[in-house]
Amino acid sequence: MNDPDTMLNYLETLLKASNFTKAAESLYISQPYLTQLIKRVEKKLGTTIINRDKVPFTLTESGQIYYQYLENISAQRHHLRNELERFTSGGQEVIRIAILESLGTFLLPKILPAFLEKHPQVKIQISEGFPHASEERLLNEQVDCYMGQTPETLAQGLDARINGGEVYYIVIPQNSKYYIKDQFILEPGSYDLKELLMQPFVLSNGESAIRHQVNGLFQHFRVVPEVRMSSNSIITATNLAVNGVGFTVSSASILKRLQHLPINLYPLDPRQLRITYFIATKQGVKITPALQDLITAFQKAELQEEIR
């Protein structure tokens, strides 16, 4: 078994089923084949990779190392395939987009469907990551454009085109003493903002664009934040806040994706904190007609999200 993706699928199915017969049925292979395959791998490695003595099955410590090895090989193969695609796509143009995951789920559906209808020959590669990593990819010409927020912080050598944006809200969960029943969006000035900022918060981690902005807000009011929990994902942080773990700072495009629960949203002054969307390219790099059309599609899209 030389294909890491297939082997990962076999292992995941076997661990989930915790039964060789059921796993084999799910994989449309025979039970003896699956059993012998695992035994051959274990013989080759010289160690057991799956604890079969009790249900549910689990990976042994050696199995965890082997599983991680397969994941690394799979990731490297997919990365190589993506890197070579520009040269092997048979004349198809490949546009590589870097974007923050939380933005991608909001921005890309508003831009790509119409663009791809106009350019069916173009293939899109999406690279999701934190702002600093996306800027580095663009500066190193590993991607063709970068969609993000807060263009003021962009590195030198990048050109940004701006369109749309959102205001931020402090999310006040129902279990807080600051929660006001039967209200949703509070009036600005309903509370002393500094007092709200002194409450326990759930925030995205320090690499995210929104966290940089939120840190600036805390610094402006000279508040040392009480961070109860942090997450790589602003979506996760917002969901935790909505469910009562603490306050957070989020936007309409994030909040609209979550299950509606009783919360208050305290709007922040756009002069203090605001999302501004941009698409950036590297200065001095030739922009193809298709990439220019993508930039134009971004500039013309309705990217102003509101919540009521």
Side-chain angles (χ1 to χ4, degrees):
M1 177 57 63
N2 296 319
D3 181 48
D5 291 329
T6 302
M7 193 65 204
L8 283 168
N9 184 37
Y10 283 7
L11 287 174
E12 289 167 359
T13 302
L14 181 55
L15 290 170
K16 183 178 180 180
S18 292
N19 180 285
F20 276 86
T21 300
K22 291 181 179 178
E25 289 175 354
S26 298
L27 294 166
Y28 300 100
I29 58 176
S30 70
Q31 176 269 320
Y33 173 79
L34 180 61
T35 301
Q36 290 303 314
L37 174 63
I38 299 299
K39 287 182 177 180
R40 286 199 303 272
V41 170
E42 291 180 328
K43 183 178 180 180
K44 184 177 180 180
L45 296 176
T47 183
T48 302
I49 63 172
I50 294 179
N51 292 310
R52 310 166 175 75
D53 296 334
K54 58 182 181 179
V55 176
F57 288 177
T58 57
L59 291 174
T60 63
E61 188 172 350
S62 300
Q64 292 172 5
I65 295 172
Y66 176 61
Y67 189 90
Q68 186 175 13
Y69 163 79
L70 292 174
E71 285 190 316
N72 291 337
I73 295 297
S74 175
Q76 290 173 10
R77 288 179 58 178
H78 287 292
H79 177 72
L80 176 63
R81 191 177 299 120
N82 285 340
E83 289 297 299
L84 294 176
E85 191 168 28
R86 288 180 296 154
F87 308 102
T88 61
S89 56
Q92 281 187 306
E93 181 174 347
V94 178
I95 296 180
R96 301 163 297 170
I97 303 172
I99 194 166
L100 187 68
E101 180 185 7
S102 59
L103 287 184
T105 56
F106 166 62
L107 292 180
L108 295 179
K110 292 179 174 287
I111 299 164
L112 290 184
F115 170 79
L116 290 172
E117 186 174 345
K118 181 179 179 181
H119 294 279
Q121 81 285 0
V122 172
K123 298 189 71 173
I124 300 291
Q125 289 182 2
I126 299 171
S127 174
E128 296 172 323
F130 289 115
H132 177 70
S134 294
E135 288 185 22
E136 286 295 318
R137 290 189 184 103
L138 184 54
L139 288 168
N140 294 328
E141 299 182 30
Q142 296 172 322
V143 296
D144 303 298
C145 63
Y146 162 39
M147 295 183 191
Q149 62 189 61
T150 61
E152 303 83 4
T153 64
L154 272 176
Q156 292 185 347
L158 301 179
D159 287 329
R161 295 84 167 172
I162 294 170
N163 179 29
E166 299 180 62
V167 298
Y168 280 122
Y169 301 90
I170 291 182
V171 178
I172 303 174
Q174 187 181 21
N175 63 350
S176 169
K177 66 180 182 180
Y178 294 93
Y179 174 75
I180 301 176
K181 188 178 180 180
D182 298 328
Q183 292 194 40
F184 184 42
I185 299 178
L186 304 181
E187 290 294 326
S190 301
Y191 288 117
D192 176 14
L193 179 54
K194 184 173 182 177
E195 186 176 355
L196 295 181
L197 293 175
M198 294 173 68
Q199 305 310 305
F201 270 78
V202 183
L203 297 173
S204 55
N205 74 21
E207 294 184 85
S208 68
I210 186 172
R211 181 62 183 272
H212 289 308
Q213 292 179 284
V214 172
N215 285 346
L217 186 66
F218 283 120
Q219 291 168 9
H220 176 78
F221 284 92
R222 299 181 180 179
V223 171
V224 177
E226 181 185 342
V227 182
R228 177 171 287 175
M229 196 177 299
S230 61
S231 169
N232 286 338
S233 168
I234 182 58
I235 299 173
T236 299
T238 303
N239 208 358
L240 288 168
V242 166
N243 283 277
V245 175
F247 286 20
T248 197
V249 177
S250 195
S251 64
S253 60
I254 301 296
L255 289 159
K256 279 188 170 182
R257 307 174 208 179
L258 307 180
Q259 179 183 1
H260 180 71
L261 293 173
I263 56 172
N264 290 152
L265 300 181
Y266 183 88
L268 293 169
D269 188 333
R271 294 171 296 182
Q272 294 173 329
L273 210 62
R274 178 178 172 80
I275 297 176
T276 302
Y277 296 123
F278 68 82
I279 184 169
T281 54
K282 183 180 178 182
Q283 294 175 2
V285 174
K286 181 181 178 181
I287 296 177
T288 66
L291 179 55
Q292 182 56 59
D293 280 354
L294 179 65
I295 293 170
T296 301
F298 175 91
Q299 292 175 304
K300 291 183 176 181
E302 178 51 59
L303 303 181
Q304 189 74 39
E305 191 70 82
E306 296 181 356
I307 193 166
R308 293 181 175 85

